[in-house]
Amino acid sequence: MSAPTPVVVAAYVAAYVALDWVSFIHPVGAFGITPWNPPPGLSLAFLLRYGLQHAPWLFVAALAAEFLVRGAPAPIAVLVAASLLLALSYTAVAAVLSRVLRIDVDLRSLRDVAAFITTSAIACALIALASVALFAGTGVLPPGEFREGVLQFWIGDLIGIVVTAPAVLVVTRRGTMRRRPSFETLAELTAIALALWLVFGAGLGDAPTLFYVLFLPIVWIAMRHGFDGAVFATLAMQLGLIAAIVVTGLGRSGTLEFQFLMLAIAVTGLLLGAAVSERRTIERELRTKQAALDRSLRLAAASELASSLAHELNQPLSAIGTYLRACQLMLTRKGTGDELALTMDKVIAEANRAASVVRRLRDFFRSGSTRIEPIAPSRLVDEASATLRERAAEHRVAVAATTDGVPDVLVDRVQVEAVLHNLLANAIDALKTTSGERRVRIDVAKDGSDFVRICVADNGSGVASDIAASLFDPFVTTKATGMGLGLAISKSIVDAHGGRLWHEARTPGSAFCFTLPTAS
Ligand code: ADP
């Protein structure tokens, strides 16, 4: 909270006196209890924005107004007491709002706007009762005007606060985007003027019964521009209303009635505007989060793929190197044409294998937009096992699959193959230290009528107990070169398909199972 500069303080006192002067219509008693009293709104905004320690300026401004606007209508002691009471009261309201209810003074949430309006309504009622009692007690106000005095005081201050304070807070808010007046702004102001004219100038009937027309532009603007729009629309409407009251020479009781109606408009507009702004903020935050999540998921998927592809590419590339060295040897010897052709074939086969690995990588990234299609689970299992056949053979792991009699599943082929690839690679890794027979079983079976369940089970080391609880969290790994992303990504892919992925401990080894929706 920054301290106000002397210019700001001077502007505040001057604005207080000026607003007191322009709003001095239909006063009750000599104290100018008017049906529209913006200075308290200005004072409240001043304290909320710059801090409660600047409360003495409220007293100065209130006393200055008594002298300059009303020419000191009562003995100086009463004027000082009344100004002190006002300053203390509004400081108390600001304290409740900022210290007890801890509202954000930028009024960015519906909760803050509702708390601001409710607190102001209760506080204004208490202040009205106390002030009017003081005036009546000191004989400044005739006893017959007590009730009307309280009512007018309450509505005048409340409408002044509800209309003025948010406008001041929005204007002095840091980082507020200033909207350039556009054709739309002009249309909105015209709508407010038109509505006021319909109510007061068109001679259509009794003004208060047509009052509902004034809601329309406020609702429109609040829906379009949120809280900030509603704040300025309400202010424009209130100024127009006061002008209309002065021009049409409406009496005090009519004015009072209009102020109650105006309060309904202001509260509706501000709450609606706050709700619209809050929703927009939430939507914006959600979009940002979603984009960040997308980015991190893609990044995670990319690193996982990169590490497993590096592994897969390493094999064909070193095989190609070995075969080519053999070819070189054969070329130095004569008469090995057949053998040379055979080895060259192997080089070509390995090069093709490397190319298919790269193609899979490209497919994966192209599949940023998912392509859901019906596919037989056996095809998914075959494709995934084919890519790991060499690795399984290298570690003497026997992979067997049973996939008969299950319906097609509705999935993104590339993504589900990546899941199977991850689970199979993990199973092979878990078997590396197993002595004796090393087995991986892939079982595909129906799971109820809507799902197919695929389990990849191994008789390996089993899941280490220290990571069992966080197995599916990212970056959980027991491998020296592992990224700990395979299971996390697999789970998010399976979740995205509407299935679920879980771990089952087996003796020996473990199984990872997941479900996929059937196509039919
Ligand atoms: P990474 O393979 O990079 O470590 P994963 O998320 O795929 O990442 O696996 C996380 C950890 O889960 C592995 O490091 C391993 O300790 C454990 N794990 C996964 N599958 C198995 C399995 N079939 N048997 C035993 N442990 C496993």
Side-chain angles (χ1 to χ4, degrees), residues 85-443:
L85 182 71
L86 267 187
L88 285 175
S89 313
Y90 289 106
T91 307
V93 183
V96 169
L97 286 170
S98 59
R99 301 268 162 90
V100 181
L101 297 174
R102 299 191 169 280
I103 67 161
D104 169 5
V105 295
D106 287 342
L107 297 180
R108 288 188 195 275
S109 71
L110 184 58
R111 179 242 171 219
D112 288 344
V113 175
F116 176 79
I117 294 174
T118 317
T119 310
S120 304
I122 297 169
C124 285
L126 296 176
I127 296 169
L129 271 172
S131 305
V132 177
L134 178 77
F135 299 152
T138 51
V140 183
L141 191 79
E145 296 204 20
F146 185 82
R147 192 177 147 272
E148 198 178 348
V150 172
L151 258 188
Q152 187 147 319
F153 196 114
W154 180 73
I155 191 73
D157 275 19
L158 183 56
I159 199 107
I161 288 177
V162 166
V163 171
T164 316
V168 176
L169 288 172
V170 167
V171 168
T172 55
R173 183 201 284 157
R174 219 176 273 166
T176 300
M177 294 269 283
R178 302 266 182 275
R179 255 195 343 124
R180 286 244 185 86
S182 61
F183 176 72
E184 200 180 353
T185 320
L186 196 70
E188 287 158 359
L189 287 174
T190 311
I192 293 178
L194 201 69
L196 283 165
W197 177 76
L198 272 174
V199 176
F200 289 98
L204 291 177
D206 192 15
T209 57
L210 288 170
F211 201 79
Y212 64 90
V213 175
L214 299 181
F215 274 95
L216 299 179
I218 298 288
V219 169
W220 171 33
I221 296 169
M223 298 292 288
R224 278 285 297 144
H225 307 294
F227 184 67
D228 294 6
V231 164
F232 292 111
T234 319
L235 184 63
M237 179 73 79
Q238 172 69 24
L239 293 175
L241 195 65
I242 294 296
I245 286 171
V246 172
V247 170
T248 55
L250 202 68
R252 186 198 287 169
S253 68
T255 305
L256 202 60
E257 187 178 353
F258 265 107
Q259 285 308 85
F260 274 100
L261 293 171
M262 185 60 213
L263 182 65
I265 290 192
V267 170
T268 310
L270 294 183
L271 290 179
L272 184 65
V276 169
S277 291
E278 195 172 275
R279 211 182 110 182
R280 283 192 191 150
T281 310
I282 291 170
E283 275 170 4
R284 217 175 19 248
E285 281 171 6
L286 212 65
R287 267 200 304 276
T288 320
K289 268 193 201 136
Q290 192 69 47
L293 195 72
D294 272 6
R295 259 199 315 278
S296 61
L297 252 181
R298 296 207 116 235
L299 200 71
S303 11
E304 163 68 4
L305 242 110
S307 81
S308 73
L309 284 171
H311 182 93
E312 282 186 48
L313 280 176
N314 194 32
Q315 281 184 337
L317 287 178
S318 52
I320 287 172
T322 314
Y323 289 138
L324 285 177
R325 264 191 303 280
C327 289
Q328 268 179 334
L329 272 177
M330 286 174 208
L331 281 172
T332 56
R333 285 187 269 139
K334 297 266 156 61
T336 50
D338 287 351
E339 215 183 324
L340 189 64
L342 219 67
T343 317
M344 292 298 273
D345 281 346
K346 285 185 181 162
V347 171
I348 293 168
E350 290 299 331
N352 284 342
R353 191 148 74 91
S356 90
V357 168
V358 172
R359 205 173 316 116
R360 265 198 326 118
L361 174 69
R362 229 185 25 220
D363 277 1
F364 188 89
F365 285 109
R366 218 182 277 142
S367 75
S369 58
T370 44
R371 215 179 74 221
I372 302 284
E373 56 188 343
I375 188 158
S378 55
R379 266 193 65 194
L380 296 169
V381 170
D382 288 348
E383 290 279 337
S385 347
T387 59
L388 285 165
R389 195 161 296 138
E390 301 291 333
R391 208 193 305 186
E394 184 189 334
H395 297 288
R396 293 182 292 104
V397 175
V399 180
T402 46
T403 59
D404 294 338
V406 282
D408 283 2
V409 284
L410 203 56
V411 296
D412 182 287
R413 184 180 62 80
V414 179
Q415 290 188 8
V416 173
E417 273 174 29
V419 173
L420 272 166
H421 181 95
N422 272 326
L423 300 184
L424 260 174
N426 277 344
I428 295 171
D429 285 346
L431 286 163
K432 280 181 186 167
T433 52
T434 306
S435 52
E437 226 187 328
R438 299 173 176 178
R439 276 177 287 114
V440 173
R441 280 192 56 79
I442 307 174
D443 281 313

Side-chain angles (χ1 to χ4, degrees), residues 304 307 422-431 456-458 460-464 466-467 470-490 503 509-512:
E304 163 68 4
S307 81
N422 272 326
L423 300 184
L424 260 174
N426 277 344
I428 295 171
D429 285 346
L431 286 163
V456 179
D458 62 75
S461 54
V463 168
D466 54 335
I467 61 156
S470 52
L471 206 50
F472 295 98
D473 292 348
F475 309 114
V476 171
T477 182
T478 52
K479 300 173 194 169
T481 55
M483 305 262 307
L485 287 170
L487 287 177
I489 292 170
S490 299
H503 163 247
S510 60
F512 283 83

